[in-house]
Amino acid sequence: MDTLTQLEAKSVYILREAYANFKNLGMLWSIGKDSTVMLWLARQAFFGHVPFPLIHVDTAFKIPEMIEYRDKLALEWNLNMVVGQNVKALEEKQTYPDGAVDRIACCGALKSEALKNTLSGKWKRWRLNHATGKYDVDSNTEPYTGVIVGVRADEEGSRSKERYFSARDEYNAWDIGDQPPEFWNQFKTDFAPGSHVRIHPLLDWTELNIWEYIERENIPTVSLYYDQGKGERYRSLGCYPCTFPIQSGATNVRQIIKELQTGKLKNIAERSGRAQDKDGGGGLEKLRRDGYM
Amino acid sequence: MNIVIVGHVDHGKSTIIGRLLADTDSLPEGKLQAVKDNCARNAKPFEYAFLLDALQDEQDQGITIDAARVFFKSEKRHYIIIDAPGHIEFLKNMITGASRAESALLVIDAAEGVQENSRRHGYMLAMLGIHQVAVLVNKMDLVDYDQKTFEKIRDEYTQFLSGIGVTATTFLPVSGREGDNVASTSQKMSWFQSDHGRTVLEVLDGFEKEAAPVEKPFRLPVQGVYKFTANGDNRRIIAGTVEAGSLTVGDEVVFYPSGKKSRVKTFEQFNGTSPSVIQAGDAAGFTLEEQIYITRGEIAAKVGEVEPVVSGKLNVSLFWLAHKPLAVGREFSFKIGTIKVPARVEKILRTIDASSLDARQTKQQIERHDVAECEIHLKKAIAFDPTTVMAGTSRFVLVDDYEIRGGGIIREAVVDEQENVRKQVMRRNQAWVYSEIHPDERAERYNQKAALVLITGTEATGKKTLARALEKRLFKEGKFVYFMGIGNLLYGVDADIKEHGKDRTELRREHLRRMAEVSHLLLDAGAILIITARNLTGDDLALIRTGLNGIPTRVVWLGDATPDKDLEPHLSLAAFPDADSVVPEIKRMLQEAGVIFRV
């Protein structure tokens, strides 16, 4: 069995365990390559169906093409699409692009806070209406108790310490120093009231694995990942004020794989174009302890 | 290949890995310099371990807290190296890390020699099923690269390993700090010769990839049975990952513990053509010829191969990780494959100090970080394989207060009194003639799921009156319900029962077996069945459940008497309850069990 098939089998096993154990299960879809591969793996696991909602936290600063791509696939693949947003922070312009707060605080408000309140159902959620193609306010306000997230261990230090099934308390906090054990394909599927479990099916995948799988399965991806003639492309996608392209002439999946294999990008961190990681010491670890993905 | 690096605290695991990454040019540009600069800023000496210890707490304390994954590539292949913590406090993290590995590097400090966790980790590796272990004797620079020191440690540790049935692949003298024998051969230890690699890098490349157990009997723990009706999809797919063996379209499969049997019709796949064979490692899905009712938790096996064992009483070896000791009699959840059942420790046969292998006197509880052999009783029989037959299907974990608190392997089944009934039920299930109508279709038609309501309690507590009232009420509401009086059985199917048993216990068991068989027929037809019985015990209930193939059973206890401690009724009511006020309570109980639905 080749590496990709092995990784795929492990992820499918995790997704099926999640589906069997969590009544209110949802999958975070950031529209990026990783969570789109994860969505594809869900279709593998459930034979073409995705039997839980996909949740997207819309910061309102996403590159517009990402939103178009999201809704196109959601309609085509018959996805149960749910969207959340920090409406208050946006209305009051308490954001980095508005010049009101720094990058970390902006991520905290538009992503961590929005995610926390979307998952708990405390804030309004919008659900895609497949008949109209528009988003309606979701009448379901139940909290999600199982949340599937597409983080990978090779992305960054604190992610390399993650469990496949990782507990978050009622404040969404992650007690990174005292995580429960996890072995032999047995995961944390029991949880105290008020808490929830993050499920990480992609933990063992590398950036290269992701692109090789995209190629093998022919998975549609946003064109922002490819050079459109300017000699640059995005390697990691986020909000446009804080995400910067890298110098690369790769125009298709094959060329990206080549780029990763030949080591042209070997010495540059994948998230080097993500400015929030660099503000303060241990920026991403701090964000993640407070509930960031 | 996944490799774990283990050993006693401060013996230099992270340093060896950090050094390996640095010397093979595997670090992202600037990482080494960044960590060095950071050390200079904080006025602490640079250590290669800081390259791995990503958490701020770890760098502050200079120890590894949680297992980190390091991605590394040699000329031969890709590796994920799992850096496990050596501090005893973090044994659970070491186990988490090690269980993801196929092979292990065990590090021993040349100056300190074999320590408590050198032994404990060796023992845990054996229990976790990791058979390829290479021992690195580290910090050779501190003992002047002395051959005798190395050999002394090698001999001592070899002896320890042989006591637990493990043979190390090789012993290698290294210095993580100085880089000796890490990525390149050291001139300082020219006395060292080996066929199994002279550097850490060569040892890693020398590990053999363990082949998937394709040749073993077929095993697939069922993760779920899917019927997604969206877009007119009518497939009922049994989904799960193949633990061992292989299966071909047309093969006959038996599900354990139920014993239900059918033939594989198709293998299903989302993208690409469906395979005609599935084998160990595949995340698979298949459909069956017959409409048999299978649930998550059963194990699929192939007819004609070694059968899994089914039992509710087990002899196991386990390790315990929680602060609160595991006491005899305390209840916890037992998870194996895809099933979870309530269980308790019946007897502790012996506890072993994993760091010295001394068997202590029998204790009444298993303390944190103890390893023990004990007898465990489960509420419901499960299917498994003894660890000597197949490791994967012998492994379990213990869950208590929402967390995994321990794990272990099943050595063998303890013979129990239910064994004959179980065998008889399995024979029945194998010969069962399946209807074309699936239980789900019946459930849809009757707007209810089949279920048994057992009303029990001491004599003269109003059991029958309540059963009648409940039957009437459910019937009025359009349910398919039946109250089966015990008198209906005693002079009918039980008429010849005296010829079967010798003593009262045997007679009662045979009576319950027959009652369960009749119940099973009515439940298979889709009914909600109500039965009254005097003084049911936990054992009685277990026996009835064995006959019912997992159809939901709810127990109502009447009266002030305390029921048998293993019965655990779902609902306890006063004797001679007022039907009008308690029937809604019973209905609520059935709603919660998903038997009837809220209107």
Side-chain angles (χ1 to χ4, degrees), chain A residues 267-284:
Chain A
N267 294 328
I268 307 162
E270 181 182 358
R271 291 177 62 93
S272 61
R274 305 292 290 274
Q276 72 268 30
D277 294 13
K278 291 166 195 150
D279 279 13
L284 193 54

Side-chain angles (χ1 to χ4, degrees), chain A residues 226-240:
Chain A
Y226 313 102
D227 175 25
Q228 307 291 341
K230 284 199 216 153
E232 54 182 37
R233 65 176 192 89
Y234 286 91
R235 190 173 173 195
S236 173
L237 293 181
C239 301
Y240 55 79

Side-chain angles (χ1 to χ4, degrees), chain A residues 49 161 163 178-179 190, chain B residues 58 69 92-93 233 340:
Chain A
H49 303 266
K161 310 251 172 178
R163 300 285 192 260
D178 187 24
Q179 301 192 68
D190 301 78
Chain B
E58 293 179 322
R69 269 169 272 210
K92 64 183 162 98
N93 296 339
D233 191 346
K340 183 164 92 174

Side-chain angles (χ1 to χ4, degrees), chain A residues 266-269, chain B residues 27-34:
Chain A
K266 195 178 96 182
N267 294 328
I268 307 162
Chain B
L27 292 164
E29 195 177 275
K31 171 93 180 179
L32 187 63
Q33 200 51 47

Side-chain angles (χ1 to χ4, degrees), chain B residues 175-239:
Chain B
S175 167
R177 200 169 62 183
E178 302 302 323
D180 297 296
N181 289 351
V182 176
S184 56
T185 332
S186 167
Q187 296 311 308
K188 294 170 194 135
M189 290 179 280
S190 48
W191 48 263
F192 178 74
Q193 292 302 325
S194 169
D195 301 334
H196 298 280
R198 289 193 53 198
T199 63
V200 177
L201 195 58
E202 285 173 24
V203 167
L204 288 177
D205 281 345
F207 281 137
E208 277 165 35
K209 186 101 188 140
E210 223 172 301
V214 179
E215 302 303 323
K216 294 223 169 191
F218 177 75
R219 298 287 187 266
L220 179 143
V222 176
Q223 279 189 287
V225 180
Y226 303 141
K227 191 166 186 234
F228 303 111
T229 44
N231 303 325
D233 191 346
N234 272 319
R235 298 170 296 173
R236 184 184 309 278
I237 304 172
I238 317 252

Side-chain angles (χ1 to χ4, degrees), chain B residues 16 50 95 121 195 228 240 278 408 425 541 544 554 563 569 588 599:
Chain B
I16 291 175
F50 293 157
I95 288 169
H121 285 183
D195 301 334
F228 303 111
I278 56 170
V425 169
L541 181 63
I544 294 168
R554 285 292 175 272
R588 208 170 307 130
V599 207

Side-chain angles (χ1 to χ4, degrees), chain A residues 57 84-86 108-119 123:
Chain A
V57 172
Q85 191 164 64
N86 190 340
L110 297 188
K111 289 182 176 177
S112 303
E113 272 299 299
L115 176 66
K116 180 159 77 183
N117 290 289
T118 301
L119 294 180
W123 290 358

